[in-house]
Amino acid sequence: MDRAVLMIAITDRSRGGEFAAWFQAQGAALVLSALGRGTAATEVLDYLGLEATEKAVLLLTAPRSARLVRRAARELWLDVPGRGILMAVPISSVGGARARDYLLSWQAEEDDMEREITHELIVVIANRGHTDQVMDAARSAGAAGGTTIHAKGTGTELARKFLGVSLAAEKEIVFILAKEADRKPIMKAVMTQAGMQTKAQAVVFSLPVTDLAGLRLLEEDGES
């Protein structure tokens, strides 16, 4: 399964249907959509030409294909400020041959070229209402912004056993895309300023991003 990826696309909510239709036209069997909220600072929003922070977050599985990412960048205009970003995160396995064939049935053009991991997706799970605390911590270590999804958590008894704390059920998941070199400082800042010892009770981990589109202008300006 080293050639399969989870693709995550983030765009303005008004364009979510357009993005989903594009991936379905490429042959994607299942495209999941969630409502999100941007957390970028005002100056970053101005730079990207974004007028609102309401987001659509799309998730789908695909054969790993740099060509597909490049096509998405071109046909979805991801290099235009405000259009959105697309990233690919490796999948290690899929349970069951039928599920694998269903999720990966479409014929994306695979690319055997190995690429250096230059970015990572930092995932923060925190108590609802504490996104600002998480993002203030992340920005203090160089993060530009993130996207938040509302969720509901379980496992409070296990948290009490292993972490010695009680966790709130209402959660927010924050996605922060960062350069690989910035990952450790950002994660450390979140753990220090918004970790289990705070009201945010944030848990943070990161995932490698193998392919990426939509950050060209930020990269040219030195932002992550």
Side-chain angles (χ1 to χ4, degrees):
M1 290 304 301
D2 58 337
R3 307 307 302 176
V5 296
L6 173 68
M7 287 194 171
I8 304 172
I10 302 174
T11 187
D12 281 351
R13 197 170 296 181
S14 62
R15 298 190 183 100
E18 173 191 347
F19 275 50
W22 187 89
F23 284 112
Q24 289 170 338
Q26 309 310 306
L30 178 65
V31 180
L32 300 176
S33 298
L35 301 181
R37 179 169 56 86
T39 65
T42 301
E43 59 269 21
V44 176
L45 292 174
D46 290 342
Y47 177 84
L48 292 174
L50 300 177
E51 297 179 353
T53 60
E54 291 188 336
K55 301 293 181 185
V57 180
L58 290 79
L59 302 98
L60 61 142
T61 56
R64 180 177 174 184
S65 172
R67 293 186 182 94
L68 178 65
V69 174
R70 289 196 295 269
R71 189 184 311 132
R74 182 175 65 253
E75 297 182 8
L76 292 174
W77 298 85
L78 293 179
D79 281 337
V80 175
R83 288 290 299 185
I85 62 172
L86 172 66
M87 66 195 87
V89 175
I91 294 175
S92 60
S93 62
V94 174
R98 287 187 178 181
R100 179 194 61 212
D101 292 343
Y102 167 63
L103 293 173
L104 301 172
S105 60
W106 53 314
Q107 300 298 313
E109 300 176 48
E110 293 193 22
D111 187 341
D112 292 330
M113 183 175 63
E114 293 297 326
R115 285 168 294 281
E116 180 185 2
I117 300 297
T118 59
H119 289 75
E120 297 220 5
L121 179 63
I122 299 172
V123 181
V124 184
I125 303 173
N127 288 340
R128 186 176 185 183
H130 293 275
T131 298
D132 288 344
Q133 183 179 350
V134 169
M135 287 310 306
D136 285 346
R139 288 193 188 98
S140 73
T147 300
T148 300
I149 298 175
H150 177 61
K152 181 168 289 189
T154 61
T156 56
E157 291 301 322
L158 284 176
R160 210 174 278 117
K161 176 181 178 181
F162 288 102
L163 302 174
V165 296
S166 296
L167 299 182
E170 299 296 318
K171 298 293 182 184
E172 286 174 338
I173 302 173
V174 185
F175 294 136
I176 303 171
L177 184 63
K179 291 181 180 178
E180 199 283 331
D182 297 332
R183 171 181 58 86
K184 286 185 178 179
I186 292 173
M187 292 180 67
K188 183 177 180 180
V190 171
M191 288 186 291
T192 300
Q193 301 176 41
M196 278 294 165
Q197 76 283 2
T198 71
K199 291 183 178 180
Q201 294 184 312
V203 175
V204 58
F205 58 92
S206 68
L207 301 168
V209 174
T210 57
D211 297 286
L212 178 65
L215 287 187
R216 179 178 60 84
L217 294 180
L218 283 178
E219 291 298 324
E220 290 176 353
D221 195 48
E223 299 283 345
S224 61

